[in-house]
Amino acid sequence: MDARFLGIPDLVDTPSVAVVVDVMRAYTVAAWAFARGAEKIVLAGSLDEALELKARHPDWVALKDGPAAPGFDLVNSPGLLRTADLGGRTVVQKTTAGTVGALAVKDASLVLCAGFVVAEATARLLRARGCDGVTYVVTGEDGRADEDLACAQYIAGRAAGSGTDPAGFLHRGATSRAAAELAGGVRAGVHPDDVALCLDLDRFPFAMVATPEDSLMVLRPCAVPPPADGAAL
């Protein structure tokens, strides 16, 4: 399986298959939102668009990076989200890098959004779909975020069928700049458990697929059957 790893600024063409990786914290939060019952997540292109969608759909839940702000219901923190009741709700998510990356590849035939919490399911779905070439969009720090690159490389290895040891990849995530900023209080809207939750490998059994729906980019969970007879990936 051919894999390439690109930052958002490096996307000069539309890939056939894209895996958009944002470990800390967009797609960890998205996975938790689905685990807390959310039906779908609308990926907004701007804060104004998120607020406009919220105004048109008052029952939707609007979520953003950083501190709490008027018009938004939640912030982009898995630790703060994990107790929310989102049963049957639609979430509107706008983040600094993760949602931007997904919208940048919205015309790809298959767009998956991922973090460590859904790594195995994402790799398994790539294999099930018979994807020969995959572009991994490393969203953080213009493609230099080591937690995102580590997760992308781990998923690529698992998708290729290798018995990849996760320890080194998780260590890179734990010692990344983003982890240090979250742990050190540099970023706003943070829970003390956020870094650990972002590195909770394979916490959830589903992958997350983003598709255009009525001019919006919508993320939904996708069930991935386990390997037959307990076989390796």
Side-chain angles (χ1 to χ4, degrees), residues 191-209:
H191 187 278
D193 293 340
D194 277 358
V195 172
L197 291 172
C198 289
L199 300 176
D200 191 1
L201 184 66
D202 302 327
R203 173 75 183 240
F204 304 113
F206 52 80
M208 299 187 293
V209 180

Side-chain angles (χ1 to χ4, degrees), residues 145-223:
D146 200 38
E147 75 282 2
D148 292 341
L149 180 58
C151 182
Q153 291 170 336
Y154 177 73
I155 293 171
R158 296 297 294 155
S162 65
T164 307
D165 183 350
F169 298 94
L170 292 170
H171 177 74
R172 287 166 58 189
T175 56
S176 66
R177 174 180 174 181
E181 290 180 350
L182 290 174
V186 175
R187 301 188 186 187
V190 177
H191 187 278
D193 293 340
D194 277 358
V195 172
L197 291 172
C198 289
L199 300 176
D200 191 1
L201 184 66
D202 302 327
R203 173 75 183 240
F204 304 113
F206 52 80
M208 299 187 293
V209 180
T211 55
E213 297 182 20
D214 298 326
S215 78
L216 299 172
M217 196 66 169
V218 177
L219 188 65
R220 296 180 185 272
C222 179

Side-chain angles (χ1 to χ4, degrees), residues 28-224:
T28 302
V29 166
W32 268 101
F34 290 130
R36 297 302 301 163
E39 178 185 351
K40 64 183 179 182
I41 297 175
V42 176
L43 305 176
S46 66
L47 294 175
D48 286 343
E49 181 186 1
L51 289 173
E52 181 182 328
L53 288 166
K54 172 70 176 180
R56 294 198 335 240
H57 306 276
D59 58 323
W60 287 12
V61 177
L63 181 156
K64 64 176 281 294
D65 267 339
F72 287 89
D73 305 288
L74 296 168
V75 295
N76 191 48
S77 161
L80 296 172
L81 186 78
R82 61 183 165 176
T83 57
D85 180 4
L86 298 175
R89 306 288 293 277
T90 293
V91 173
V92 180
Q93 185 180 32
K94 170 65 179 85
T95 70
T96 305
T99 56
V100 175
L103 292 169
V105 292
K106 62 184 177 62
D107 294 326
S109 61
L110 176 63
V111 178
L112 304 181
C113 296
F116 280 114
V117 292
V118 293
E120 186 75 4
T122 303
R124 193 172 295 138
L125 183 59
L126 290 170
R127 282 179 61 88
R129 297 285 181 94
C131 301
D132 294 326
V134 180
T135 296
Y136 292 85
V137 183
V138 180
T139 60
E141 301 175 37
D142 289 334
R144 298 185 300 275
D146 200 38
E147 75 282 2
D148 292 341
L149 180 58
C151 182
Q153 291 170 336
Y154 177 73
I155 293 171
R158 296 297 294 155
S162 65
T164 307
D165 183 350
F169 298 94
L170 292 170
H171 177 74
R172 287 166 58 189
T175 56
S176 66
R177 174 180 174 181
E181 290 180 350
L182 290 174
V186 175
R187 301 188 186 187
V190 177
H191 187 278
D193 293 340
D194 277 358
V195 172
L197 291 172
C198 289
L199 300 176
D200 191 1
L201 184 66
D202 302 327
R203 173 75 183 240
F204 304 113
F206 52 80
M208 299 187 293
V209 180
T211 55
E213 297 182 20
D214 298 326
S215 78
L216 299 172
M217 196 66 169
V218 177
L219 188 65
R220 296 180 185 272
C222 179
V224 181

